[in-house]
Amino acid sequence: MGLFDFLTYDIAIDLGTANTLIIHNDKVVVDAPSIVALDRTTGAFLAVGETAMQMHGKTHDNIRTIRPLKDGVIADFVASEHMIRELIKSIPGLTGRLFAPSLRMVICIPSGITEVEKRAVKDSAEHANAKEVYLIHEPMAAAIGIGVDVLEPKGNMIIDIGGGTTEIAVLALGGIVCDESIKVAGDVFTNDIVYYMRTQHNLSIGERMAEQIKIQIGSAIESLPDGPEDMAVQGRDLLSGKPKSITISYREVARALDKSILRIEDSVMKALANTPPELSADIYNSGIYMAGGGSLLRGLDQRISMKTDLPVYVAEDPLRAVVRGTGIALKNIEKYKTLLMR
Ligand SMILES: Nc1ncnc2c1ncn2[C@@H]1O[C@H](COP(=O)(O)OP(=O)(O)O)[C@@H](O)[C@H]1O
Ligand SMILES: [Mg+2]
């Protein structure tokens, strides 16, 4: 420990397409939707995180909400920088100190992002007073968070289903051996539900209602042993224009999501087919690990397991596996040096 260590502050950030999480001292201190609200006329930022989420879908002409990382790429540099800065500022106990501490951080990024976007993330972090910034790829952080020893000469397969992207990666010796990334994940599931309600029930529903359906009764298979109860869904009748409520079952949701889940299954099969044989042998023995909010969809692990004939394990608290792994990498920077990018 150095003399001036009290002036540095270590944080780990999971910059997700749907949620941004920050860990400091082993504790999750920020867990907020990755969203920014701004004034359309002046361009001024109005809110980030939860407050901005409340406005989402309920905005009028003057307010716009953006999800700067929506599809796993940085759609809006200025907005994402603002969001990163504001979320860092919202860490309890960080602001209002006598000396603003300089930050050391590890940031987890979607593996699809380009060099230019990586640079932009680093710049944003540096503008937020970061002295040392390391980047880590999402599947790697997820694996560490799940408790997999990624440095071992042993293959492991991770599927991370987030908001914007599903990343399927085979890891060994601290590196990514093969990597499939598709833009089919939680957001697409939500849109599938919107589309299904529109075409099957003539009911127009909002994104937030659709997400609620997905979380409350969403399923990847049509016959669950202990399926959730039917759910009442409110929206606007497309024929009469009146507000309307109908009841739907998890089976319908499974039908609505089927095509997208098939696409995820295909990508998993593709990743398995591209895996070198020695690593295939390892995966045969250890199975597949799943993380990310999308892996909470009922029966999804079972479907992937049936498709691949492999055991599938969902991380404990899958929404936080990535930030936990990022936090572990931060705490053991020397150990994980080879897989962190400066
Ligand atoms: N119980 C659940 N069932 C299905 N999907 C869920 C559940 N909880 C969260 N999600 C979905 O998970 C996604 C967010 O996952 P997350 O891992 O935070 O994404 P990202 O890393 O891209 O920010 C969202 O699309 C959200 O709707
Ligand atoms: Mg994620």
Side-chain angles (χ1 to χ4, degrees):
M1 266 214 161
L3 186 56
F4 293 103
D5 274 3
F6 69 96
L7 285 174
T8 64
Y9 202 90
D10 285 353
I11 58 175
I13 307 183
D14 167 14
L15 197 56
T17 64
N19 297 298
T20 297
L21 291 92
I22 303 182
I23 279 191
H24 169 63
N25 268 347
D26 303 324
K27 272 218 300 283
V28 176
V29 288
V30 172
D31 183 348
S34 305
I35 184 164
V36 180
L38 45 82
D39 187 316
R40 227 185 251 278
T41 28
T42 64
F45 291 107
L46 299 172
V48 303
E50 200 50 60
T51 331
M53 191 62 179
Q54 299 295 335
M55 302 177 178
H56 193 50
K58 300 193 175 177
T59 52
H60 49 70
D61 281 354
N62 276 336
I63 298 181
R64 191 160 72 99
T65 49
I66 12 181
R67 288 180 46 196
L69 292 148
K70 197 160 192 244
D71 295 313
V73 293
I74 299 184
D76 186 321
F77 286 97
V78 184
S80 50
E81 168 157 350
H82 179 76
M83 186 181 80
I84 295 170
R85 262 207 278 190
E86 287 301 309
L87 291 178
I88 290 174
K89 261 204 250 161
S90 73
I91 300 173
L94 181 60
T95 44
R97 290 182 169 206
L98 190 51
F99 300 102
S102 60
L103 303 168
R104 181 163 74 149
M105 42 178 125
V106 177
I107 308 178
C108 174
I109 46 163
S111 29
I113 84 173
T114 62
E115 286 304 317
V116 176
E117 290 168 337
K118 275 185 208 164
R119 185 73 246 167
V121 170
K122 279 199 73 168
D123 285 348
S124 305
E126 275 156 12
H127 292 159
N129 211 16
K131 181 184 64 174
E132 269 177 76
V133 185
Y134 303 87
L135 303 179
I136 184 168
H137 281 306
E138 179 144 13
M140 194 61 87
I144 298 172
I146 289 168
V148 169
D149 185 351
V150 294
L151 299 171
E152 257 189 323
K154 184 172 166 294
N156 285 290
M157 177 175 269
I158 309 289
I159 306 175
D160 178 10
I161 307 177
T165 56
T166 291
E167 308 221 9
I168 301 148
V170 175
L171 313 172
L173 289 167
I176 297 176
V177 182
C178 47
D179 185 14
E180 288 283 327
S181 175
I182 51 164
K183 292 191 166 126
V184 178
D187 293 336
V188 170
F189 295 163
T190 302
N191 289 337
D192 288 342
I193 294 173
V194 172
Y195 180 79
Y196 179 89
M197 296 306 286
R198 173 179 283 273
T199 51
Q200 301 295 313
H201 294 289
N202 281 317
L203 189 72
S204 172
I205 62 169
E207 202 181 290
R208 290 213 295 174
M209 175 59 81
E211 184 174 24
Q212 216 178 314
I213 298 172
K214 178 179 73 178
I215 293 172
Q216 201 172 315
I217 63 167
S219 173
I221 45 185
E222 284 192 43
S223 54
L224 288 172
D226 208 359
E229 300 270 313
D230 293 358
M231 177 180 170
V233 176
Q234 291 83 35
R236 174 168 53 84
D237 188 302
L238 281 167
L239 302 174
S240 70
K242 291 189 238 171
K244 184 170 96 169
S245 177
I246 62 159
T247 304
I248 64 158
S249 69
Y250 79 84
R251 292 189 182 84
E252 286 190 79
V253 183
R255 254 173 271 149
L257 301 182
D258 189 52
K259 268 206 189 109
S260 299
I261 293 167
L262 280 172
R263 289 185 60 195
I264 293 179
E265 287 180 342
D266 283 348
S267 298
V268 174
M269 295 310 289
K270 207 163 136 200
L272 284 171
N274 290 336
T275 304
E278 291 292 340
L279 301 179
S280 288
D282 293 339
I283 294 168
Y284 180 83
N285 290 316
S286 58
I288 297 175
Y289 299 96
M290 278 215 293
S295 66
L296 285 166
L297 192 72
R298 294 171 189 78
L300 186 54
D301 50 344
Q302 209 180 314
R303 255 189 87 159
I304 293 176
S305 175
M306 276 177 335
K307 179 84 189 178
T308 57
D309 290 320
L310 293 168
V312 174
Y313 308 99
V314 178
E316 178 188 343
D317 199 358
L319 284 158
R320 293 187 167 185
V322 168
V323 76
R324 269 203 314 269
T326 311
I328 294 170
L330 170 70
K331 253 190 146 167
N332 306 281
I333 273 189
E334 279 308 313
K335 176 174 173 193
Y336 291 113
K337 215 167 203 152
T338 50
L339 47 91
L340 295 169
M341 297 161 279
R342 280 219 73 157

